[in-house]
Amino acid sequence: MKTFKYRTDRKTLYVSLALMMMMALLGIVLMLLYRGGFISTWYLTLIVALVALAALSIPRNIVIRPDTVEVRCLCNLIEIERSEIVSVRRVSRKELRVLPLFGIWGLFGYYGTFFDLANMSSVQIYATQWNDFVEIIDSSDNCYYLSSERADELIAAIGTSSHSDK
């Protein structure tokens, strides 16, 4: 078993801080404009719930096990069966042209389901920085993008273990 920890880069921290400040500013403006109204209460409730859900889904580490590759989040576990992995390769951030479908873009990272404009398909992204991506494709054509400062080591660990299991 080998573990790769996610590290958040400065850009992601700055984007997260800017997004949280914008949400707080909008909340303050709504409270001033609609004093005693339900709009500011609904906004506050919605934002607190979304930020809490986002925080619970932040990827924490990648664990390479003999039969699975696991992406561990605070309250979520994504398992990719190693026997089902068809290809693993490094991908530059310039190659990734995606739009969020059901995911987070910038608040504590980039994770969830995204639409890949190049392949016109949905992909799963689990990243805390928009850099050093590893693409994993399984036999069902599911595509996962994981970020890791040690991308080459991650590729080697997945490749070595998957070949030694066969």
Side-chain angles (χ1 to χ4, degrees):
M1 180 171 87
K2 189 159 185 162
T3 302
F4 296 85
K5 292 190 182 259
Y6 276 98
R7 304 242 189 277
T8 305
D9 65 350
R10 285 186 188 173
K11 180 182 176 187
T12 303
L13 290 174
Y14 293 148
V15 168
S16 298
L17 183 62
L19 287 171
M20 294 190 60
M21 288 175 61
M22 285 178 16
M23 289 184 279
L25 183 63
L26 183 59
I28 291 168
V29 167
L30 285 174
M31 285 177 30
L32 293 174
L33 290 177
Y34 299 103
R35 195 171 290 269
F38 68 92
I39 292 177
S40 55
T41 304
W42 276 104
Y43 174 80
L44 179 64
T45 304
L46 178 68
I47 291 303
V48 168
L50 288 176
V51 169
L53 285 172
L56 291 174
S57 300
I58 299 170
R60 299 290 180 208
N61 53 42
I62 302 166
V63 177
I64 309 296
R65 294 186 166 276
D67 53 348
T68 60
V69 175
E70 298 175 353
V71 179
R72 294 182 178 177
C73 304
L74 197 58
C75 287
N76 194 11
L77 175 66
I78 295 85
E79 293 182 317
I80 306 167
E81 293 292 327
R82 304 217 29 234
S83 61
E84 299 289 319
I85 294 176
V86 174
S87 73
V88 180
R89 71 181 181 101
R90 190 175 185 140
V91 176
S92 72
R93 65 178 161 196
K94 292 178 184 175
E95 289 181 67
L96 278 182
R97 293 190 344 240
V98 294
L99 296 173
L101 289 176
F102 188 70
I104 299 297
W105 183 274
L107 187 62
F108 309 121
Y110 312 87
Y111 41 92
T113 303
F114 290 72
F115 185 74
D116 185 358
L117 296 170
N119 298 321
M120 302 303 275
S121 62
S122 65
V123 298
Q124 298 293 316
I125 296 179
Y126 300 97
T128 54
Q129 56 185 341
W130 199 253
N131 202 9
D132 298 324
F133 286 102
V134 173
E135 176 189 72
I136 300 174
I137 299 177
D138 68 11
S139 60
S140 301
D141 284 334
N142 295 322
C143 186
Y144 303 89
Y145 291 101
L146 314 176
S147 71
S148 176
E149 289 179 329
R150 300 171 15 206
D152 294 327
E153 283 182 58
L154 177 59
I155 292 169
I158 293 171
T160 302
S161 301
S162 63
H163 293 305
S164 64
D165 290 344
K166 293 181 181 177

